[in-house]
């Protein structure tokens, strides 16, 4: 399974993982060997088999429409990297 | 009764009996555990030791009136650092959460606490449960108490090492592809991955949501039954937890196994299984036959394709589950981000270790445009084949006997440069996660100074049968009574 | 007629009016202090899990039934992956392959030169998803402030077929949807607060061409007017480009209401790869025929049925019926009003005329009208029983709006009761005929338009209180008969 630097850069960007140049080289090799192993899957005949997302065949339970949560902002923001006036802060986003 | 050191028993059931008859107090027992944790620091089994609160909880348990005592009153338990717990940091073995304090308790933490358990601290683990050796922790590798040049297995590495070293009678782990069973096998313990949906995932930091399941690790089946009684049951906060009756697993332990049918899958005993492991499975089979069980061959032709399927599905789910670690609301944020993009890229690059990044990249690739059908959907189809083969097998047999791992614990550093050879460690454990069925690993032999385990697999919600079989086996054999160093 | 044909499809996001959020027990309310109603689940803290709110499922089924759509027997949630500060988990829980509402359709009324026409607009699907939070760019200098109160608000995204051919059709479609969701009680539809938001996919093609042109997606259309303006701007922009030999770039554009233009969104420049996959935290939701029937049995009357009923029951014209029956609030007001007033046509005129202009002037919803429907009904009934003229009624109505009080009290207090005493009116007619011999002569010579002059004289003398019908009759009899 061949994978090139451009593909790794694209995936890393989709996943927002910053990669230094030497790291990118290493991940190319790693991903190639992982994907080669994964390709063994293609030896299995799956024609007519439906994909399985959940191992147990049960339905989704529904929650009654009631408010059960109270304001926990202080607790939730206690370990936040940057907050002001109750807002979470990030570098300026340009629309 | 097994009393290895200082006169304190090292299983929950025996300790509970001794506490009840007043041989010692929970405070004394917990103090001894804390001393052993301290003495075993080089094993790096714990990320955080919660000594003060543990001693306070032990004293409270000692003072608790008899009629208010839960089934785990005063019993020390260690928690894999993937479960959210208030009052102590919850790291998932990651720099990303190095200093994160969860504002809530996981459901299993609530249940253990309500049953009177004394929680000693948080055990080391492969970062975000991604690993099979315990070497992928930001807080350093955990060592195997049987031989500290070897790995304890992973990802529940610290839990396995803590129990095996006698620091604590039992610990919680999680198992996404073998992370309870493989370290249990490497450390001479009995460990159970319950049916998917048996135990609530609320408050358990997700790796791969459709595969993750919490379970107990201890020396023997009796302790697992005691813990599972407390842990199991539906939770309205976890949509995937199943509203299925929870039997009394302890009461079911002594049920006769005579007449039970145990499947032996040739598909899982091929050439890649080492001679020692094969011999161990064979010996185990003879014990069960001697106990009156019938051994029948079963076919699991797709099971070995589980590894490639798993290494698509688990990373795919993980790539989304770990997107929330973005340096905005909690967790690691890089210094002086220049832009939003910079904030994301550096926070995540600095916060995650190499294996986590590898899996996020693999999963992102598998889900991306042009690859989804060939990778993700094909893996899900294989998942169905594997599950259906198990369901078919369980119309013929009550349980399946298989190896837990291809070999005993390997040396530290042996596989760190080769991710794929590390992944293949999970070849026998992964099928149960894909199928959502319960799996139990129990010690069944030795390879030099290192233990060997075998695995029992059961139908959905068939934990009771697995525990009964393991209990019967352990009544007949003494593998579960071996302790590190004792043989040397 | 232009050589270009406009093709529009709308994606409408409707915030559902539940008590709690779609996947958490946090309150679903507008306007709280930042992050005070963002629960652990809404914030995507480690270890949390979503649980689906049953009310959103019921609301989606209600909507599906209202547009004659297929309701999925099994519906599934998926994760849509992208990074943005107001998207806490790094993915949005949405639906892709098995949306809860399948193909349906909606009839809209398009006003044209030759009267109204009914057009059927295809609805491709409607699916459930969670709303994101808000990024605020002017709160802290140099930084973006993130408020996640809105995160996890239930949304129903309604996707139309590209069946709309003009900004007017797009607006008519959006108005009909707005009316329906309010009738169904599934949303307040408040566009100012973002309860209903609209994205428009706009393209143009040469008339007669089958193939669709390259489309742009315009975001941020939070009023009917902006929808209309943005489409008009965008169509013109695309025409200019194509007529100059250029090509349309497929892109996301933002409508800037202050400058009345659309512009490319830089943050959306790169092609997204959302990597949808089934959400492993949420199991498939099964919807049984019995559940659907239970919802159907509790369906309220919808705009189309109500319009037909108003024609049948009240004898309104289709035009009047469309005007008063389309909107839930207006229809309710009309029905309460006509119950007191008695005359449907006159009531409809008042609701569409005087009342509408007051609401417009005071920027009020009909639910907050300054005059109750019963009070207006009483006023109208005073026209019908000849207590006051229509003209005086307008004066009375204005007093009711500005000073309050009932029609009868105002009429009495101000002495506005109209003069219908024929003896008194005859005396007035006599005196005006006597005082204006020249005009009488001209009238009788054939200049009958002078009748208005005599009416005016008498109205002036009575302060407008003379019963105009009766007065006309008396004047005619006097002028025409007495030769």
């Amino acid at each position: 399974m061949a994978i090139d630097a451009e593909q790794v850069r694209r995936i890393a960007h989709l996943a927002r993982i910053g990669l230094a140049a030497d790291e990118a080289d290493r991940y190319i090799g790693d991903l190639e060997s992982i994907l080669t192993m994964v390709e063994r899957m293609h030896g299995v005949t799956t024609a007519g088999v439906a994909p399985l997302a959940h191992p147990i065949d049960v339905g989704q339970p529904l929650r009654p429409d009631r408010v059960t949560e109270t304001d926990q902002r202080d607790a939730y923001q206690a370990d936040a990297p940057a907050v002001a006036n109750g807002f979470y802060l990030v570098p300026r986003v340009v629309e | 009764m097994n009393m290895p050191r200082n006169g304190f028993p090292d299983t929950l059931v025996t300790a509970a009996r001794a506490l009840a008859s007043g041989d010692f107090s929970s405070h004394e027992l917990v103090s001894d555990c804390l001393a052993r944790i301290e003495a075993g620091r080089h094993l790096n089994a714990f990320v955080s030791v919660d000594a003060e609160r543990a001693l306070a909880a032990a004293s409270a348990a000692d003072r608790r009136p008899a009629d208010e005592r839960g089934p785990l009153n005063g019993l020390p338990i260690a928690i894999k650092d993937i479960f959210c717990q208030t009052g102590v940091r919850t790291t998932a073995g990651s720099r990303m959460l190095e200093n994160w304090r969860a504002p809530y308790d996981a459901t299993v933490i609530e249940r253990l606490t309500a049953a009177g358990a004394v929680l000693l601290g948080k055990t080391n683990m492969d970062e975000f449960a991604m690993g099979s050796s315990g070497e992928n922790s930001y807080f350093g590798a955990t060592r195997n108490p049987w031989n500290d040049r070897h790995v304890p297995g992973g990802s529940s590495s610290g839990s396995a090492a803590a129990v095996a070293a006698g620091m604590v009678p039992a610990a919680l782990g999680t198992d996404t592809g073998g992370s309870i069973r493989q370290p249990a096998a490497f450390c001479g313990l009995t460990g159970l991955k319950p049916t998917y949906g048996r135990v609530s995932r609320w408050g358990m930091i997700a790796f791969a949501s459709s595969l993750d399941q919490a379970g107990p690790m201890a020396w023997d089946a009796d302790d697992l039954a005691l813990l599972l009684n407390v842990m199991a049951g539906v939770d309205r906060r976890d949509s995937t937890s199943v509203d299925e009756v929870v039997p009394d697993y302890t009461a079911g332990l002594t049920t006769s196994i005579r007449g039970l049918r145990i499947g032996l899958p040739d598909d899982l005993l091929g050439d890649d299984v080492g001679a020692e492991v094969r011999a161990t499975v064979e010996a185990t089979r003879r014990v069960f036959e001697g106990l009156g069980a019938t051994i029948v061959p079963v076919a699991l032709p797709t099971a070995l394709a589980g590894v490639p399927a798993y290494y698509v599905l688990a990373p795919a789910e993980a790539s989304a589950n770990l997107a929330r670690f973005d340096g905005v609301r909690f967790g690691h944020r890089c210094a002086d981000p220049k832009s939003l993009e910079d904030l994301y890229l550096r926070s995540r690059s600095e916060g995650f270790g190499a294996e986590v990044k590898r899996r996020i990249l693999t999963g992102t690739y598998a889900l991306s445009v042009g690859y989804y059908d060939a990778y993700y959907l094909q893996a899900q189809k294989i998942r169905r084949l594997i599950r259906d083969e198990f369901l078919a097998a369980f119309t013929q047999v009550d349980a399946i006997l298989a190896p837990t791992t291809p070999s005993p614990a390997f040396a530290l550093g042996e596989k760190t440069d080769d991710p794929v050879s590390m992944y293949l460690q999970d070849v026998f454990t992964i099928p149960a996660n894909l199928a959502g069925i319960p799996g139990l690993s129990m010690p069944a032999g030795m390879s030099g100074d290192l233990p060997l385990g075998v695995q029992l697999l059961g139908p959905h919600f068939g934990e009771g049968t697995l525990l009964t079989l393991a209990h019967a086996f352990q009544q007949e054999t003494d593998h579960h009574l071996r302790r590190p160093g004792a043989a040397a | 007629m232009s050589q270009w044909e406009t093709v529009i499809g709308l994606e409408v996001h409707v915030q559902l009016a539940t008590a709690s959020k779609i996947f958490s027990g946090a309150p679903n309310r507008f306007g709280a202090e930042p992050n005070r109603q963002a629960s652990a689940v809404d914030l995507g803290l480690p270890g949390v899990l979503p649980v689906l709110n049953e009310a959103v499922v019921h609301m989606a089924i209600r909507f599906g039934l209202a547009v004659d759509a297929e309701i999925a027997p099994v519906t599934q949630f998926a994760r849509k992956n992208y990074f943005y500060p107001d998207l806490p988990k790094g993915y949005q829980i949405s639906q892709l392959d098995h949306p809860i509402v399948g193909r349906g359709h909606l009839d809209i009324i398009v006003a044209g030169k030759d009267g109204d026409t009914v057009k059927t607009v295809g609805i491709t699907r409607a699916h459930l998803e969670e709303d994101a939070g808000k990024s605020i760019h002017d709160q802290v200098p140099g930084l973006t402030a993130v408020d996640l109160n809105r995160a996890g608000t239930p949304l129903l995204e309604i996707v139309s077929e590209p069946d709309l051919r003009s900004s007017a059709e797009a607006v008519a479609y959006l108005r009909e949807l707005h009316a329906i969701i309010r009738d169904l009680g599934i949303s307040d539809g408040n566009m100012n607060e973002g309860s209903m938001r609209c994205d428009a996919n706009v393209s143009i093609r040469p008339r007669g061409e089958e193939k669709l042109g390259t489309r742009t997606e315009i975001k941020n259309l939070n009023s009917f007017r902006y929808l209309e303006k943005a489409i008009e701007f965008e169509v013109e922009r695309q025409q200019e480009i194509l007529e100059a030999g250029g090509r349309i770039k497929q892109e996301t554009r933002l409508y800037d209401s202050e400058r009345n233009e659309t512009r490319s969104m830089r943050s959306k420049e790169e092609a997204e790869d959302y990597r949808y996959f089934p959400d492993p935290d949420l199991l498939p939701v099964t919807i049984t025929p019995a559940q659907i029937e239970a919802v159907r049995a509790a369906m309220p009357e919808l705009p189309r049925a109500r319009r037909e009923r108003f024609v049948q029951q009240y004898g309104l014209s289709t035009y009047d019926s469309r005007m008063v029956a389309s909107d839930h609030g207006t229809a309710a007001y009309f029905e309460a009003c006509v119950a007191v007033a008695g005359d449907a046509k006159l009531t409809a005129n008042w609701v569409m005329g005087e009342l509408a202009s007051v609401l417009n002037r005071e920027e009020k919803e009909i639910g907050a009208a300054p005059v109750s429907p019963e009070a207006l009904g009483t006023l109208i009934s005073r026209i019908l029983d000849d207590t006051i003229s229509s003209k005086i009624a307008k004066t009375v109505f204005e007093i009711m709006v500005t000073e309050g009080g009932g029609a009868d009290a105002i009429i009495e207090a101000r002495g506005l009761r109209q003069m219908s005493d024929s003896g008194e009116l005859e005396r007035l007619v006599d005196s005006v005929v006597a005082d204006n011999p020249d005009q009488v002569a001209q009238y009788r010579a054939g200049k009958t338009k002078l009748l208005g002059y005599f009416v005016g004289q008498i109205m002036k003398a009575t302060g407008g209180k003379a019963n105009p019908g009766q007065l006309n009759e008396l004047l005619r009899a006097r002028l025409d008969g007495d030769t």
Side-chain angles (χ1 to χ4, degrees), chain A residues 3-18:
Chain A
I3 185 163
D4 61 29
E6 180 50 39
Q7 280 174 299
V8 172
R9 263 197 298 277
R10 190 181 64 83
I11 296 160
H13 180 72
L14 273 177
R16 298 299 188 276
I17 302 275

PDB file of all heavy atoms in Angstrom, chain A residues 3-18:
ATOM      1  N   ILE A   3       1.596   5.138   0.027  1.00  0.00           N
ATOM      2  CA  ILE A   3       0.972   6.383   0.486  1.00  0.00           C
ATOM      3  C   ILE A   3       2.054   7.455   0.409  1.00  0.00           C
ATOM      4  O   ILE A   3       3.212   7.178   0.735  1.00  0.00           O
ATOM      5  CB  ILE A   3       0.384   6.202   1.904  1.00  0.00           C
ATOM      6  CG1 ILE A   3      -0.384   7.436   2.351  1.00  0.00           C
ATOM      7  CG2 ILE A   3       1.443   5.844   2.914  1.00  0.00           C
ATOM      8  CD1 ILE A   3      -1.297   7.146   3.522  1.00  0.00           C
ATOM      9  N   ASP A   4       1.702   8.623  -0.078  1.00  0.00           N
ATOM     10  CA  ASP A   4       2.753   9.623  -0.261  1.00  0.00           C
ATOM     11  C   ASP A   4       2.655  10.760   0.754  1.00  0.00           C
ATOM     12  O   ASP A   4       1.707  10.851   1.534  1.00  0.00           O
ATOM     13  CB  ASP A   4       2.760  10.156  -1.700  1.00  0.00           C
ATOM     14  CG  ASP A   4       1.448  10.832  -2.067  1.00  0.00           C
ATOM     15  OD1 ASP A   4       0.791  11.367  -1.168  1.00  0.00           O
ATOM     16  OD2 ASP A   4       1.079  10.816  -3.256  1.00  0.00           O
ATOM     17  N   ALA A   5       3.655  11.584   0.744  1.00  0.00           N
ATOM     18  CA  ALA A   5       3.760  12.659   1.723  1.00  0.00           C
ATOM     19  C   ALA A   5       2.562  13.595   1.639  1.00  0.00           C
ATOM     20  O   ALA A   5       2.053  14.072   2.658  1.00  0.00           O
ATOM     21  CB  ALA A   5       5.056  13.444   1.495  1.00  0.00           C
ATOM     22  N   GLU A   6       2.083  13.822   0.427  1.00  0.00           N
ATOM     23  CA  GLU A   6       0.964  14.731   0.237  1.00  0.00           C
ATOM     24  C   GLU A   6      -0.297  14.172   0.911  1.00  0.00           C
ATOM     25  O   GLU A   6      -1.044  14.898   1.560  1.00  0.00           O
ATOM     26  CB  GLU A   6       0.735  14.955  -1.278  1.00  0.00           C
ATOM     27  CG  GLU A   6      -0.406  15.871  -1.622  1.00  0.00           C
ATOM     28  CD  GLU A   6      -0.374  17.194  -0.857  1.00  0.00           C
ATOM     29  OE1 GLU A   6       0.722  17.747  -0.661  1.00  0.00           O
ATOM     30  OE2 GLU A   6      -1.465  17.655  -0.434  1.00  0.00           O
ATOM     31  N   GLN A   7      -0.512  12.865   0.749  1.00  0.00           N
ATOM     32  CA  GLN A   7      -1.670  12.244   1.406  1.00  0.00           C
ATOM     33  C   GLN A   7      -1.566  12.352   2.920  1.00  0.00           C
ATOM     34  O   GLN A   7      -2.555  12.648   3.602  1.00  0.00           O
ATOM     35  CB  GLN A   7      -1.766  10.771   1.008  1.00  0.00           C
ATOM     36  CG  GLN A   7      -2.405  10.551  -0.351  1.00  0.00           C
ATOM     37  CD  GLN A   7      -2.340   9.080  -0.741  1.00  0.00           C
ATOM     38  OE1 GLN A   7      -1.253   8.517  -0.862  1.00  0.00           O
ATOM     39  NE2 GLN A   7      -3.480   8.464  -0.910  1.00  0.00           N
ATOM     40  N   VAL A   8      -0.382  12.093   3.445  1.00  0.00           N
ATOM     41  CA  VAL A   8      -0.204  12.181   4.895  1.00  0.00           C
ATOM     42  C   VAL A   8      -0.450  13.611   5.373  1.00  0.00           C
ATOM     43  O   VAL A   8      -1.114  13.832   6.379  1.00  0.00           O
ATOM     44  CB  VAL A   8       1.205  11.692   5.308  1.00  0.00           C
ATOM     45  CG1 VAL A   8       1.460  11.980   6.785  1.00  0.00           C
ATOM     46  CG2 VAL A   8       1.338  10.206   5.042  1.00  0.00           C
ATOM     47  N   ARG A   9       0.037  14.574   4.604  1.00  0.00           N
ATOM     48  CA  ARG A   9      -0.196  15.977   4.987  1.00  0.00           C
ATOM     49  C   ARG A   9      -1.681  16.310   4.978  1.00  0.00           C
ATOM     50  O   ARG A   9      -2.186  16.976   5.872  1.00  0.00           O
ATOM     51  CB  ARG A   9       0.546  16.907   4.026  1.00  0.00           C
ATOM     52  CG  ARG A   9       1.902  17.363   4.553  1.00  0.00           C
ATOM     53  CD  ARG A   9       2.410  18.580   3.799  1.00  0.00           C
ATOM     54  NE  ARG A   9       2.605  18.304   2.387  1.00  0.00           N
ATOM     55  CZ  ARG A   9       3.698  17.724   1.886  1.00  0.00           C
ATOM     56  NH1 ARG A   9       4.681  17.369   2.691  1.00  0.00           N
ATOM     57  NH2 ARG A   9       3.807  17.498   0.599  1.00  0.00           N
ATOM     58  N   ARG A  10      -2.391  15.803   3.966  1.00  0.00           N
ATOM     59  CA  ARG A  10      -3.824  16.086   3.858  1.00  0.00           C
ATOM     60  C   ARG A  10      -4.582  15.473   5.046  1.00  0.00           C
ATOM     61  O   ARG A  10      -5.421  16.120   5.674  1.00  0.00           O
ATOM     62  CB  ARG A  10      -4.369  15.513   2.547  1.00  0.00           C
ATOM     63  CG  ARG A  10      -5.788  15.943   2.210  1.00  0.00           C
ATOM     64  CD  ARG A  10      -6.260  15.314   0.905  1.00  0.00           C
ATOM     65  NE  ARG A  10      -6.352  13.867   0.994  1.00  0.00           N
ATOM     66  CZ  ARG A  10      -7.400  13.203   1.493  1.00  0.00           C
ATOM     67  NH1 ARG A  10      -8.444  13.877   1.948  1.00  0.00           N
ATOM     68  NH2 ARG A  10      -7.405  11.901   1.565  1.00  0.00           N
ATOM     69  N   ILE A  11      -4.256  14.227   5.350  1.00  0.00           N
ATOM     70  CA  ILE A  11      -4.929  13.552   6.472  1.00  0.00           C
ATOM     71  C   ILE A  11      -4.595  14.245   7.787  1.00  0.00           C
ATOM     72  O   ILE A  11      -5.471  14.485   8.618  1.00  0.00           O
ATOM     73  CB  ILE A  11      -4.485  12.079   6.537  1.00  0.00           C
ATOM     74  CG1 ILE A  11      -4.947  11.336   5.281  1.00  0.00           C
ATOM     75  CG2 ILE A  11      -5.043  11.401   7.775  1.00  0.00           C
ATOM     76  CD1 ILE A  11      -4.155  10.067   5.051  1.00  0.00           C
ATOM     77  N   ALA A  12      -3.309  14.576   7.957  1.00  0.00           N
ATOM     78  CA  ALA A  12      -2.893  15.236   9.193  1.00  0.00           C
ATOM     79  C   ALA A  12      -3.616  16.570   9.349  1.00  0.00           C
ATOM     80  O   ALA A  12      -4.024  16.948  10.442  1.00  0.00           O
ATOM     81  CB  ALA A  12      -1.381  15.443   9.202  1.00  0.00           C
ATOM     82  N   HIS A  13      -3.838  17.246   8.224  1.00  0.00           N
ATOM     83  CA  HIS A  13      -4.555  18.507   8.322  1.00  0.00           C
ATOM     84  C   HIS A  13      -6.019  18.288   8.670  1.00  0.00           C
ATOM     85  O   HIS A  13      -6.583  18.983   9.517  1.00  0.00           O
ATOM     86  CB  HIS A  13      -4.440  19.306   7.027  1.00  0.00           C
ATOM     87  CG  HIS A  13      -5.170  20.602   7.123  1.00  0.00           C
ATOM     88  ND1 HIS A  13      -4.721  21.655   7.892  1.00  0.00           N
ATOM     89  CD2 HIS A  13      -6.364  20.997   6.613  1.00  0.00           C
ATOM     90  CE1 HIS A  13      -5.590  22.640   7.837  1.00  0.00           C
ATOM     91  NE2 HIS A  13      -6.602  22.265   7.070  1.00  0.00           N
ATOM     92  N   LEU A  14      -6.649  17.285   8.039  1.00  0.00           N
ATOM     93  CA  LEU A  14      -8.050  16.973   8.382  1.00  0.00           C
ATOM     94  C   LEU A  14      -8.169  16.676   9.868  1.00  0.00           C
ATOM     95  O   LEU A  14      -9.151  17.040  10.511  1.00  0.00           O
ATOM     96  CB  LEU A  14      -8.520  15.747   7.598  1.00  0.00           C
ATOM     97  CG  LEU A  14      -9.095  15.952   6.207  1.00  0.00           C
ATOM     98  CD1 LEU A  14      -9.421  14.592   5.587  1.00  0.00           C
ATOM     99  CD2 LEU A  14     -10.366  16.807   6.273  1.00  0.00           C
ATOM    100  N   ALA A  15      -7.176  15.985  10.414  1.00  0.00           N
ATOM    101  CA  ALA A  15      -7.207  15.587  11.826  1.00  0.00           C
ATOM    102  C   ALA A  15      -6.605  16.662  12.724  1.00  0.00           C
ATOM    103  O   ALA A  15      -6.561  16.481  13.942  1.00  0.00           O
ATOM    104  CB  ALA A  15      -6.452  14.273  12.007  1.00  0.00           C
ATOM    105  N   ARG A  16      -6.146  17.751  12.132  1.00  0.00           N
ATOM    106  CA  ARG A  16      -5.497  18.843  12.867  1.00  0.00           C
ATOM    107  C   ARG A  16      -4.397  18.313  13.790  1.00  0.00           C
ATOM    108  O   ARG A  16      -4.342  18.605  14.980  1.00  0.00           O
ATOM    109  CB  ARG A  16      -6.523  19.641  13.697  1.00  0.00           C
ATOM    110  CG  ARG A  16      -7.610  20.344  12.890  1.00  0.00           C
ATOM    111  CD  ARG A  16      -7.068  21.370  11.908  1.00  0.00           C
ATOM    112  NE  ARG A  16      -8.121  22.152  11.287  1.00  0.00           N
ATOM    113  CZ  ARG A  16      -8.821  21.773  10.207  1.00  0.00           C
ATOM    114  NH1 ARG A  16      -8.542  20.623   9.611  1.00  0.00           N
ATOM    115  NH2 ARG A  16      -9.770  22.547   9.711  1.00  0.00           N
ATOM    116  N   ILE A  17      -3.533  17.511  13.199  1.00  0.00           N
ATOM    117  CA  ILE A  17      -2.336  17.043  13.903  1.00  0.00           C
ATOM    118  C   ILE A  17      -1.153  17.710  13.216  1.00  0.00           C
ATOM    119  O   ILE A  17      -0.927  17.501  12.028  1.00  0.00           O
ATOM    120  CB  ILE A  17      -2.173  15.508  13.775  1.00  0.00           C
ATOM    121  CG1 ILE A  17      -3.398  14.761  14.320  1.00  0.00           C
ATOM    122  CG2 ILE A  17      -0.877  15.055  14.441  1.00  0.00           C
ATOM    123  CD1 ILE A  17      -3.404  14.508  15.793  1.00  0.00           C
ATOM    124  N   GLY A  18      -0.429  18.535  13.967  1.00  0.00           N
ATOM    125  CA  GLY A  18       0.744  19.172  13.386  1.00  0.00           C
ATOM    126  C   GLY A  18       1.884  18.162  13.298  1.00  0.00           C
ATOM    127  O   GLY A  18       2.169  17.452  14.256  1.00  0.00           O
TER     128      GLY A  18
END
